[in-house]
Amino acid sequence: MADRGKMEMFDNDVFKMFFYENRLKTFEDWPFDGDCACTPQNMAKAGFIHAPSDNSPDVAICFCCQKELEGWEPDDDPIKEHQSHSSSCYFINLKKDVEDMTVEEFLKLLKEKEASIITKNLNDTMNKFKEAAKMKRDEIVKSAMGEE
């Protein structure tokens, strides 16, 4: 019974994308397959999950560092692209499957993933605030100049 509880912990959404098989499942509608470097298997192995949008069907996001990449070409090597665009990503630098990590490595991966999410959310919030402040400033300037 205790072992079952431990296994259920890893079914949690926090850990779900740590595992290759779960990342691979996200590439069901990936536009590249077969005879190219950025196959679903290679993308998932490099830590990416597929997160398409209506106008960008090839968006991939690292589950750990949250780096978002799009505009993939058939010859793009996902591991090399990940390393070149996010050289500090703990997952890509560790070069291990989750199943082969030590407890210390696993906990550091979790910490780095959570830190990346917090940083991304903070940056998104700051950008929204800056845009809102700019719009408000423009509104105030127009009002002061009588241009409403």
Side-chain angles (χ1 to χ4, degrees), residues 2-138:
D3 286 342
R4 185 168 173 232
K6 288 178 187 175
M7 289 308 294
E8 287 172 2
M9 179 180 91
F10 293 105
D11 290 336
N12 183 318
D13 285 341
V14 171
F15 300 109
K16 193 173 185 177
M17 293 304 156
F18 279 45
F19 297 94
Y20 167 82
E21 294 80 16
N22 292 331
R23 293 191 305 271
L24 183 60
K25 289 176 190 174
T26 69
F27 286 91
E28 188 175 293
D29 296 321
W30 183 243
F32 301 99
D33 206 357
D35 193 26
C36 64
C38 58
T39 62
Q41 295 79 9
N42 290 340
M43 295 295 289
K45 193 176 289 186
F48 289 112
I49 57 173
H50 186 208
S53 65
D54 289 339
N55 51 349
S56 294
D58 69 340
V59 176
I61 301 171
C62 173
F63 82 96
C64 180
C65 70
Q66 305 299 300
K67 183 65 178 175
E68 186 174 309
L69 297 175
E70 63 181 313
W72 291 89
E73 299 290 332
D75 292 336
D76 288 341
D77 180 323
I79 291 175
K80 288 179 182 173
E81 291 296 324
H82 194 167
Q83 287 171 326
S84 72
H85 291 279
S86 186
S87 61
S88 63
C89 177
Y90 184 73
F91 175 78
I92 202 68
N93 289 322
L94 190 59
K95 298 177 179 138
K96 284 186 179 181
D97 291 329
V98 171
E99 296 84 358
D100 298 327
M101 291 180 189
T102 65
V103 171
E104 182 179 356
E105 289 168 336
F106 184 85
L107 292 174
K108 181 153 186 190
L109 179 64
L110 177 60
K111 181 186 104 181
E112 294 295 327
K113 176 186 181 283
E114 293 301 316
S116 294
I117 290 170
I118 289 167
T119 300
K120 183 178 188 313
N121 289 338
L122 177 63
N123 289 336
D124 290 349
T125 301
M126 288 297 294
N127 288 334
K128 287 177 187 173
F129 176 80
K130 287 176 183 176
E131 185 61 33
K134 182 185 179 306
M135 288 173 57
K136 191 64 172 174
R137 181 185 183 281
D138 292 347

